[in-house]
Amino acid sequence: MPDIYEKLVRQGYAPHHTLTGRKDMSVKENRTEYRLQLDKRRPTASYQVDGKIITSGNKCDYLMLVCHDEPQNQWTEVFVELKGSDVEHAITQLEATIGADILKHKCVNRRLARIVALSFPSHKSNPALEKAKRRFRAYSCDLKTIKTKQPDNI
């Protein structure tokens, strides 16, 4: 059975980063950059979701794929939204993307959502973000905020 990467390629979607062994990978837009770091070299790839895989409605910027267990064909999806500071809109975009049927596959056993921003609201606890984290758990997805260029070790 094809994995999530092969599924997207077969449907005609060109990867932003083609599948190859890497220990780190990054995507950026304007002044915001997400850096994925792995414990060891693993097969990874990325796709631009916004305007490429999903062309209408709310959608996140990128999908990063990491194969954590090649013999078992087990993958992690990392949904990335790059923002200046609008966290609530990022939540909406990520939630819509996670629900998209085209990005679901049996080989995916871990889903992560990342809001990457230049700045976040100064108050420590954001009620909308805390509620969103609980909702994302229902999708078996870990939602996290990360400042631009800060490494995300998964």
Side-chain angles (χ1 to χ4, degrees):
M1 174 176 30
D3 57 43
I4 183 70
Y5 178 81
E6 292 167 347
K7 172 189 171 184
L8 292 171
V9 167
R10 286 181 183 177
Q11 291 182 3
Y13 300 109
H16 181 73
H17 291 102
T18 57
L19 186 66
T20 192
R22 296 181 183 87
K23 195 170 176 180
D24 55 49
M25 184 170 48
S26 65
V27 290
K28 69 181 188 177
E29 226 174 63
N30 299 322
R31 298 180 336 196
T32 309
E33 180 179 357
Y34 172 71
R35 290 183 173 174
L36 173 69
Q37 288 192 330
L38 304 168
D39 58 343
K40 65 180 185 177
R41 185 175 289 276
R42 297 183 184 276
T44 61
S46 71
Y47 283 90
Q48 183 177 343
V49 176
D50 188 356
K52 301 284 183 176
I53 296 175
I54 301 174
T55 56
S56 63
N58 286 309
K59 61 267 183 199
C60 71
D61 293 315
Y62 291 94
L63 169 65
M64 297 178 121
L65 300 172
V66 179
C67 184
H68 278 286
D69 186 343
E70 287 183 82
Q72 297 296 315
N73 196 27
Q74 294 183 348
W75 291 74
T76 296
E77 289 180 322
V78 183
F79 298 90
V80 180
E81 179 56 32
L82 304 169
K83 279 288 179 214
S85 61
D86 190 351
V87 172
E88 290 188 31
H89 188 239
I91 291 167
T92 301
Q93 291 173 288
L94 285 164
E95 200 160 14
T97 307
I98 288 167
D101 286 338
I102 193 166
L103 301 176
K104 294 179 181 174
H105 196 281
K106 291 177 183 177
C107 72
V108 175
N109 67 336
R110 187 174 175 205
R111 301 176 106 199
L112 308 172
R114 300 298 190 244
I115 299 170
V116 185
L118 294 171
S119 64
F120 291 99
S122 59
H123 54 284
K124 192 73 174 168
S125 87
N126 178 335
L129 182 59
E130 294 308 312
K131 285 179 185 175
K133 285 181 180 181
R134 285 192 296 276
R135 280 196 319 273
F136 276 63
R137 281 188 212 113
Y139 306 121
S140 299
C141 184
D142 175 51
L143 174 63
K144 184 176 173 183
T145 58
I146 300 173
K147 285 195 175 183
T148 187
K149 297 183 182 177
Q150 176 185 341
D152 185 17
N153 300 302
I154 67 163

Short mmCIF file of all heavy atoms in Angstrom, two decimals, residues 72-130:
data_model
loop_
_atom_site.label_atom_id
_atom_site.label_comp_id
_atom_site.label_asym_id
_atom_site.label_seq_id
_atom_site.Cartn_x
_atom_site.Cartn_y
_atom_site.Cartn_z
N GLN A 72 7.75 -0.59 9.23
CA GLN A 72 6.33 -0.60 9.57
C GLN A 72 5.54 0.46 8.80
O GLN A 72 4.33 0.55 8.93
CB GLN A 72 6.14 -0.38 11.07
CG GLN A 72 6.74 -1.48 11.93
CD GLN A 72 6.07 -2.81 11.69
OE1 GLN A 72 4.85 -2.90 11.64
NE2 GLN A 72 6.87 -3.86 11.53
N ASN A 73 6.24 1.31 8.00
CA ASN A 73 5.61 2.38 7.23
C ASN A 73 4.76 3.29 8.12
O ASN A 73 3.59 3.52 7.86
CB ASN A 73 4.77 1.78 6.09
CG ASN A 73 4.43 2.81 5.03
OD1 ASN A 73 5.14 3.79 4.84
ND2 ASN A 73 3.32 2.60 4.35
N GLN A 74 5.36 3.81 9.19
CA GLN A 74 4.66 4.70 10.12
C GLN A 74 5.18 6.13 9.96
O GLN A 74 6.39 6.36 10.01
CB GLN A 74 4.83 4.22 11.55
CG GLN A 74 4.14 2.89 11.78
CD GLN A 74 4.24 2.43 13.21
OE1 GLN A 74 4.99 2.95 14.02
NE2 GLN A 74 3.46 1.42 13.54
N TRP A 75 4.23 7.06 9.82
CA TRP A 75 4.57 8.45 9.50
C TRP A 75 4.00 9.41 10.54
O TRP A 75 2.97 9.14 11.16
CB TRP A 75 4.00 8.81 8.14
CG TRP A 75 4.68 8.11 7.02
CD1 TRP A 75 4.56 6.80 6.67
CD2 TRP A 75 5.62 8.68 6.11
NE1 TRP A 75 5.36 6.51 5.59
CE2 TRP A 75 6.02 7.65 5.22
CE3 TRP A 75 6.14 9.95 5.93
CZ2 TRP A 75 6.92 7.87 4.18
CZ3 TRP A 75 7.04 10.17 4.90
CH2 TRP A 75 7.42 9.14 4.04
N THR A 76 4.67 10.56 10.63
CA THR A 76 4.18 11.69 11.42
C THR A 76 3.86 12.81 10.45
O THR A 76 4.65 13.10 9.54
CB THR A 76 5.26 12.18 12.42
OG1 THR A 76 5.51 11.14 13.35
CG2 THR A 76 4.80 13.43 13.16
N GLU A 77 2.69 13.44 10.64
CA GLU A 77 2.34 14.64 9.89
C GLU A 77 2.53 15.84 10.81
O GLU A 77 2.07 15.82 11.95
CB GLU A 77 0.87 14.61 9.45
CG GLU A 77 0.55 13.61 8.38
CD GLU A 77 -0.93 13.63 8.00
OE1 GLU A 77 -1.79 13.79 8.90
OE2 GLU A 77 -1.21 13.47 6.82
N VAL A 78 3.21 16.88 10.30
CA VAL A 78 3.37 18.12 11.04
C VAL A 78 2.72 19.22 10.20
O VAL A 78 3.20 19.56 9.12
CB VAL A 78 4.85 18.47 11.30
CG1 VAL A 78 4.95 19.73 12.15
CG2 VAL A 78 5.58 17.30 11.96
N PHE A 79 1.59 19.74 10.69
CA PHE A 79 0.87 20.82 10.01
C PHE A 79 1.43 22.15 10.53
O PHE A 79 1.47 22.36 11.74
CB PHE A 79 -0.63 20.74 10.31
CG PHE A 79 -1.26 19.46 9.81
CD1 PHE A 79 -1.31 18.34 10.62
CD2 PHE A 79 -1.78 19.38 8.54
CE1 PHE A 79 -1.88 17.16 10.17
CE2 PHE A 79 -2.36 18.20 8.07
CZ PHE A 79 -2.41 17.10 8.89
N VAL A 80 1.87 23.02 9.62
CA VAL A 80 2.55 24.24 10.01
C VAL A 80 1.81 25.46 9.48
O VAL A 80 1.53 25.55 8.28
CB VAL A 80 4.01 24.25 9.47
CG1 VAL A 80 4.72 25.53 9.87
CG2 VAL A 80 4.76 23.02 9.94
N GLU A 81 1.53 26.39 10.38
CA GLU A 81 0.97 27.68 9.98
C GLU A 81 1.95 28.77 10.42
O GLU A 81 2.25 28.90 11.60
CB GLU A 81 -0.41 27.92 10.61
CG GLU A 81 -1.04 29.25 10.26
CD GLU A 81 -1.19 29.51 8.76
OE1 GLU A 81 -1.39 28.55 7.98
OE2 GLU A 81 -1.10 30.69 8.36
N LEU A 82 2.45 29.53 9.44
CA LEU A 82 3.39 30.61 9.70
C LEU A 82 2.62 31.92 9.78
O LEU A 82 1.88 32.27 8.86
CB LEU A 82 4.43 30.67 8.57
CG LEU A 82 5.20 29.37 8.32
CD1 LEU A 82 5.99 29.46 7.03
CD2 LEU A 82 6.11 29.05 9.49
N LYS A 83 2.79 32.64 10.89
CA LYS A 83 2.01 33.85 11.14
C LYS A 83 2.90 34.98 11.63
O LYS A 83 3.97 34.74 12.17
CB LYS A 83 0.96 33.59 12.24
CG LYS A 83 -0.27 32.90 11.76
CD LYS A 83 -1.09 33.84 10.94
CE LYS A 83 -2.33 33.20 10.40
NZ LYS A 83 -2.71 33.68 9.12
N GLY A 84 2.38 36.19 11.48
CA GLY A 84 3.01 37.33 12.13
C GLY A 84 2.66 37.27 13.61
O GLY A 84 3.53 37.16 14.47
N SER A 85 1.33 37.27 13.91
CA SER A 85 0.91 37.20 15.31
C SER A 85 -0.53 36.72 15.52
O SER A 85 -0.91 36.48 16.65
CB SER A 85 1.07 38.59 15.96
OG SER A 85 0.24 39.52 15.30
N ASP A 86 -1.33 36.56 14.48
CA ASP A 86 -2.75 36.23 14.61
C ASP A 86 -2.97 34.75 14.94
O ASP A 86 -3.25 33.92 14.07
CB ASP A 86 -3.50 36.62 13.34
CG ASP A 86 -5.01 36.54 13.47
OD1 ASP A 86 -5.50 36.03 14.51
OD2 ASP A 86 -5.70 36.99 12.55
N VAL A 87 -2.86 34.41 16.20
CA VAL A 87 -2.94 33.02 16.67
C VAL A 87 -4.33 32.43 16.42
O VAL A 87 -4.45 31.29 15.99
CB VAL A 87 -2.56 32.94 18.16
CG1 VAL A 87 -2.82 31.55 18.72
CG2 VAL A 87 -1.09 33.32 18.35
N GLU A 88 -5.38 33.20 16.67
CA GLU A 88 -6.73 32.65 16.51
C GLU A 88 -7.02 32.27 15.06
O GLU A 88 -7.64 31.24 14.80
CB GLU A 88 -7.76 33.63 17.07
CG GLU A 88 -7.67 33.69 18.59
CD GLU A 88 -8.78 34.48 19.24
OE1 GLU A 88 -9.90 34.51 18.70
OE2 GLU A 88 -8.51 35.05 20.31
N HIS A 89 -6.56 33.07 14.11
CA HIS A 89 -6.75 32.72 12.70
C HIS A 89 -5.92 31.49 12.34
O HIS A 89 -6.36 30.62 11.57
CB HIS A 89 -6.40 33.90 11.78
CG HIS A 89 -6.76 33.65 10.36
ND1 HIS A 89 -5.84 33.69 9.35
CD2 HIS A 89 -7.94 33.32 9.77
CE1 HIS A 89 -6.43 33.41 8.20
NE2 HIS A 89 -7.70 33.17 8.43
N ALA A 90 -4.73 31.38 12.90
CA ALA A 90 -3.88 30.20 12.68
C ALA A 90 -4.58 28.93 13.16
O ALA A 90 -4.53 27.90 12.49
CB ALA A 90 -2.54 30.38 13.38
N ILE A 91 -5.25 29.01 14.30
CA ILE A 91 -5.98 27.85 14.84
C ILE A 91 -7.05 27.41 13.84
O ILE A 91 -7.19 26.23 13.53
CB ILE A 91 -6.61 28.19 16.21
CG1 ILE A 91 -5.51 28.38 17.26
CG2 ILE A 91 -7.61 27.12 16.64
CD1 ILE A 91 -5.99 29.02 18.55
N THR A 92 -7.80 28.38 13.32
CA THR A 92 -8.86 28.08 12.34
C THR A 92 -8.27 27.40 11.10
O THR A 92 -8.82 26.42 10.60
CB THR A 92 -9.58 29.39 11.93
OG1 THR A 92 -10.12 29.99 13.10
CG2 THR A 92 -10.66 29.14 10.90
N GLN A 93 -7.15 27.91 10.62
CA GLN A 93 -6.52 27.34 9.42
C GLN A 93 -6.01 25.92 9.66
O GLN A 93 -6.22 25.03 8.83
CB GLN A 93 -5.38 28.25 8.96
CG GLN A 93 -5.87 29.59 8.42
CD GLN A 93 -4.73 30.53 8.14
OE1 GLN A 93 -4.10 31.04 9.06
NE2 GLN A 93 -4.45 30.75 6.87
N LEU A 94 -5.37 25.71 10.78
CA LEU A 94 -4.86 24.38 11.11
C LEU A 94 -6.00 23.37 11.29
O LEU A 94 -5.94 22.25 10.79
CB LEU A 94 -3.99 24.43 12.37
CG LEU A 94 -2.61 25.03 12.19
CD1 LEU A 94 -2.01 25.40 13.53
CD2 LEU A 94 -1.71 24.08 11.42
N GLU A 95 -7.03 23.79 12.01
CA GLU A 95 -8.16 22.89 12.27
C GLU A 95 -8.83 22.46 10.96
O GLU A 95 -9.18 21.29 10.79
CB GLU A 95 -9.15 23.56 13.21
CG GLU A 95 -10.05 22.61 13.91
CD GLU A 95 -10.68 23.19 15.16
OE1 GLU A 95 -10.64 24.41 15.39
OE2 GLU A 95 -11.24 22.39 15.92
N ALA A 96 -8.99 23.39 10.04
CA ALA A 96 -9.61 23.06 8.75
C ALA A 96 -8.74 22.08 7.96
O ALA A 96 -9.24 21.14 7.34
CB ALA A 96 -9.84 24.33 7.94
N THR A 97 -7.44 22.26 8.01
CA THR A 97 -6.52 21.39 7.26
C THR A 97 -6.48 19.99 7.84
O THR A 97 -6.50 19.00 7.10
CB THR A 97 -5.10 22.00 7.26
OG1 THR A 97 -5.17 23.35 6.80
CG2 THR A 97 -4.18 21.20 6.35
N ILE A 98 -6.43 19.88 9.16
CA ILE A 98 -6.38 18.57 9.81
C ILE A 98 -7.60 17.73 9.46
O ILE A 98 -7.52 16.52 9.34
CB ILE A 98 -6.22 18.75 11.34
CG1 ILE A 98 -4.80 19.23 11.62
CG2 ILE A 98 -6.51 17.47 12.09
CD1 ILE A 98 -4.60 19.74 13.01
N GLY A 99 -8.73 18.40 9.24
CA GLY A 99 -9.95 17.69 8.89
C GLY A 99 -10.07 17.30 7.43
O GLY A 99 -10.99 16.58 7.05
N ALA A 100 -9.13 17.74 6.59
CA ALA A 100 -9.21 17.47 5.14
C ALA A 100 -8.95 15.99 4.84
O ALA A 100 -7.92 15.44 5.24
CB ALA A 100 -8.21 18.34 4.39
N ASP A 101 -9.88 15.36 4.16
CA ASP A 101 -9.77 13.93 3.83
C ASP A 101 -8.52 13.61 3.02
O ASP A 101 -7.92 12.55 3.19
CB ASP A 101 -11.00 13.45 3.06
CG ASP A 101 -12.21 13.32 3.96
OD1 ASP A 101 -12.04 13.17 5.19
OD2 ASP A 101 -13.34 13.36 3.43
N ILE A 102 -8.11 14.52 2.14
CA ILE A 102 -6.96 14.25 1.27
C ILE A 102 -5.67 14.03 2.06
O ILE A 102 -4.74 13.38 1.60
CB ILE A 102 -6.78 15.37 0.23
CG1 ILE A 102 -5.81 14.93 -0.85
CG2 ILE A 102 -6.32 16.67 0.88
CD1 ILE A 102 -5.80 15.79 -2.06
N LEU A 103 -5.60 14.54 3.30
CA LEU A 103 -4.39 14.42 4.11
C LEU A 103 -4.46 13.32 5.16
O LEU A 103 -3.61 13.22 6.03
CB LEU A 103 -4.06 15.77 4.76
CG LEU A 103 -3.84 16.90 3.75
CD1 LEU A 103 -3.62 18.23 4.46
CD2 LEU A 103 -2.69 16.59 2.81
N LYS A 104 -5.48 12.48 5.05
CA LYS A 104 -5.62 11.36 5.98
C LYS A 104 -5.10 10.09 5.31
O LYS A 104 -5.29 9.88 4.12
CB LYS A 104 -7.09 11.19 6.38
CG LYS A 104 -7.60 12.35 7.20
CD LYS A 104 -9.04 12.19 7.56
CE LYS A 104 -9.51 13.41 8.36
NZ LYS A 104 -10.93 13.37 8.60
N HIS A 105 -4.42 9.26 6.09
CA HIS A 105 -3.88 8.01 5.57
C HIS A 105 -3.65 7.04 6.72
O HIS A 105 -3.29 7.46 7.82
CB HIS A 105 -2.57 8.28 4.83
CG HIS A 105 -2.15 7.15 3.95
ND1 HIS A 105 -1.54 6.03 4.45
CD2 HIS A 105 -2.26 6.98 2.61
CE1 HIS A 105 -1.27 5.21 3.44
NE2 HIS A 105 -1.70 5.75 2.33
N LYS A 106 -3.83 5.76 6.45
CA LYS A 106 -3.65 4.73 7.49
C LYS A 106 -2.23 4.66 8.04
O LYS A 106 -2.03 4.24 9.17
CB LYS A 106 -4.03 3.36 6.93
CG LYS A 106 -5.50 3.21 6.66
CD LYS A 106 -5.79 1.86 6.05
CE LYS A 106 -7.27 1.78 5.71
NZ LYS A 106 -7.61 0.53 5.05
N CYS A 107 -1.24 5.06 7.25
CA CYS A 107 0.16 4.97 7.71
C CYS A 107 0.53 6.08 8.69
O CYS A 107 1.57 6.01 9.33
CB CYS A 107 1.12 4.99 6.52
SG CYS A 107 1.25 6.60 5.72
N VAL A 108 -0.32 7.10 8.84
CA VAL A 108 -0.03 8.21 9.75
C VAL A 108 -0.45 7.81 11.16
O VAL A 108 -1.62 7.57 11.42
CB VAL A 108 -0.75 9.51 9.32
CG1 VAL A 108 -0.53 10.61 10.34
CG2 VAL A 108 -0.29 9.94 7.93
N ASN A 109 0.53 7.73 12.06
CA ASN A 109 0.20 7.35 13.43
C ASN A 109 0.45 8.48 14.43
O ASN A 109 0.24 8.31 15.62
CB ASN A 109 0.98 6.09 13.85
CG ASN A 109 2.46 6.33 13.95
OD1 ASN A 109 3.00 7.23 13.33
ND2 ASN A 109 3.13 5.51 14.73
N ARG A 110 0.90 9.63 13.93
CA ARG A 110 1.13 10.79 14.80
C ARG A 110 0.87 12.06 14.01
O ARG A 110 1.34 12.20 12.88
CB ARG A 110 2.58 10.76 15.28
CG ARG A 110 2.90 11.78 16.32
CD ARG A 110 4.32 11.55 16.83
NE ARG A 110 4.71 12.58 17.75
CZ ARG A 110 5.97 12.93 17.98
NH1 ARG A 110 6.95 12.32 17.36
NH2 ARG A 110 6.25 13.88 18.84
N ARG A 111 0.12 12.99 14.64
CA ARG A 111 -0.20 14.27 13.99
C ARG A 111 0.17 15.40 14.94
O ARG A 111 -0.19 15.37 16.11
CB ARG A 111 -1.67 14.34 13.62
CG ARG A 111 -2.09 13.23 12.68
CD ARG A 111 -3.56 13.25 12.41
NE ARG A 111 -3.73 13.75 11.06
CZ ARG A 111 -4.85 14.24 10.58
NH1 ARG A 111 -5.91 14.33 11.34
NH2 ARG A 111 -4.93 14.66 9.35
N LEU A 112 0.87 16.39 14.41
CA LEU A 112 1.27 17.56 15.18
C LEU A 112 0.83 18.81 14.43
O LEU A 112 0.87 18.85 13.20
CB LEU A 112 2.80 17.60 15.36
CG LEU A 112 3.46 16.33 15.89
CD1 LEU A 112 4.98 16.45 15.82
CD2 LEU A 112 3.01 16.05 17.31
N ALA A 113 0.41 19.83 15.17
CA ALA A 113 0.05 21.12 14.57
C ALA A 113 0.92 22.19 15.22
O ALA A 113 1.05 22.22 16.44
CB ALA A 113 -1.43 21.42 14.79
N ARG A 114 1.51 23.05 14.40
CA ARG A 114 2.42 24.07 14.90
C ARG A 114 2.02 25.45 14.39
O ARG A 114 1.87 25.65 13.18
CB ARG A 114 3.86 23.77 14.46
CG ARG A 114 4.39 22.42 14.95
CD ARG A 114 4.42 22.38 16.46
NE ARG A 114 5.12 21.23 17.00
CZ ARG A 114 4.52 20.29 17.72
NH1 ARG A 114 3.22 20.34 17.96
NH2 ARG A 114 5.22 19.30 18.22
N ILE A 115 1.86 26.36 15.33
CA ILE A 115 1.65 27.77 15.00
C ILE A 115 3.00 28.44 15.22
O ILE A 115 3.52 28.45 16.34
CB ILE A 115 0.58 28.44 15.88
CG1 ILE A 115 -0.76 27.74 15.70
CG2 ILE A 115 0.49 29.93 15.56
CD1 ILE A 115 -1.82 28.17 16.70
N VAL A 116 3.57 28.97 14.17
CA VAL A 116 4.88 29.61 14.25
C VAL A 116 4.66 31.10 13.98
O VAL A 116 4.10 31.47 12.96
CB VAL A 116 5.86 29.02 13.21
CG1 VAL A 116 7.24 29.61 13.38
CG2 VAL A 116 5.89 27.50 13.32
N ALA A 117 5.10 31.93 14.93
CA ALA A 117 4.83 33.36 14.81
C ALA A 117 6.03 34.19 15.22
O ALA A 117 6.92 33.74 15.95
CB ALA A 117 3.63 33.74 15.68
N LEU A 118 6.03 35.43 14.73
CA LEU A 118 7.06 36.39 15.13
C LEU A 118 6.86 36.79 16.58
O LEU A 118 7.81 36.99 17.32
CB LEU A 118 7.00 37.64 14.24
CG LEU A 118 7.34 37.44 12.76
CD1 LEU A 118 7.02 38.69 11.97
CD2 LEU A 118 8.80 37.06 12.61
N SER A 119 5.58 36.89 16.98
CA SER A 119 5.29 37.24 18.38
C SER A 119 3.95 36.65 18.77
O SER A 119 3.10 36.37 17.93
CB SER A 119 5.26 38.76 18.56
OG SER A 119 4.20 39.32 17.81
N PHE A 120 3.79 36.46 20.07
CA PHE A 120 2.56 35.93 20.63
C PHE A 120 2.03 36.94 21.64
O PHE A 120 2.80 37.74 22.16
CB PHE A 120 2.80 34.57 21.31
CG PHE A 120 3.13 33.48 20.34
CD1 PHE A 120 4.45 33.10 20.13
CD2 PHE A 120 2.14 32.84 19.63
CE1 PHE A 120 4.76 32.11 19.22
CE2 PHE A 120 2.45 31.85 18.72
CZ PHE A 120 3.76 31.48 18.51
N PRO A 121 0.73 36.89 21.96
CA PRO A 121 0.19 37.82 22.96
C PRO A 121 1.00 37.73 24.26
O PRO A 121 1.46 36.65 24.64
CB PRO A 121 -1.24 37.32 23.16
CG PRO A 121 -1.58 36.58 21.91
CD PRO A 121 -0.28 36.00 21.42
N SER A 122 1.18 38.86 24.92
CA SER A 122 2.04 38.92 26.10
C SER A 122 1.47 38.19 27.31
O SER A 122 2.22 37.72 28.14
CB SER A 122 2.34 40.37 26.47
OG SER A 122 1.14 41.05 26.71
N HIS A 123 0.12 38.10 27.42
CA HIS A 123 -0.42 37.38 28.57
C HIS A 123 -0.16 35.88 28.41
O HIS A 123 -0.23 35.33 27.34
CB HIS A 123 -1.91 37.69 28.78
CG HIS A 123 -2.76 37.45 27.57
ND1 HIS A 123 -2.77 38.31 26.50
CD2 HIS A 123 -3.59 36.44 27.26
CE1 HIS A 123 -3.60 37.83 25.57
NE2 HIS A 123 -4.10 36.70 26.02
N LYS A 124 0.16 35.26 29.52
CA LYS A 124 0.66 33.89 29.52
C LYS A 124 -0.36 32.87 29.00
O LYS A 124 -0.07 32.08 28.15
CB LYS A 124 1.11 33.52 30.94
CG LYS A 124 1.89 32.26 31.03
CD LYS A 124 3.29 32.41 30.46
CE LYS A 124 4.10 31.16 30.71
NZ LYS A 124 5.31 31.14 29.98
N SER A 125 -1.57 32.90 29.53
CA SER A 125 -2.55 31.91 29.08
C SER A 125 -3.59 32.55 28.16
O SER A 125 -4.25 33.49 28.53
CB SER A 125 -3.21 31.23 30.28
OG SER A 125 -4.32 31.95 30.72
N ASN A 126 -3.68 32.01 26.96
CA ASN A 126 -4.62 32.49 25.97
C ASN A 126 -5.80 31.50 25.98
O ASN A 126 -5.64 30.35 25.59
CB ASN A 126 -3.91 32.51 24.60
CG ASN A 126 -4.82 32.95 23.48
OD1 ASN A 126 -6.03 32.82 23.54
ND2 ASN A 126 -4.22 33.47 22.43
N PRO A 127 -7.00 31.95 26.43
CA PRO A 127 -8.14 31.03 26.52
C PRO A 127 -8.48 30.34 25.20
O PRO A 127 -8.78 29.15 25.18
CB PRO A 127 -9.29 31.91 27.00
CG PRO A 127 -8.66 33.13 27.56
CD PRO A 127 -7.33 33.29 26.88
N ALA A 128 -8.40 31.07 24.08
CA ALA A 128 -8.72 30.48 22.78
C ALA A 128 -7.71 29.39 22.44
O ALA A 128 -8.07 28.32 21.91
CB ALA A 128 -8.73 31.55 21.69
N LEU A 129 -6.46 29.62 22.75
CA LEU A 129 -5.42 28.62 22.48
C LEU A 129 -5.59 27.39 23.36
O LEU A 129 -5.47 26.26 22.89
CB LEU A 129 -4.03 29.24 22.67
CG LEU A 129 -2.85 28.33 22.38
CD1 LEU A 129 -2.86 27.84 20.93
CD2 LEU A 129 -1.54 29.06 22.68
N GLU A 130 -5.90 27.60 24.63
CA GLU A 130 -6.09 26.47 25.54
C GLU A 130 -7.29 25.61 25.13
O GLU A 130 -7.22 24.38 25.16
CB GLU A 130 -6.25 26.96 26.99
CG GLU A 130 -5.00 27.62 27.55
CD GLU A 130 -3.73 26.78 27.40
OE1 GLU A 130 -3.78 25.57 27.73
OE2 GLU A 130 -2.72 27.30 26.94
#
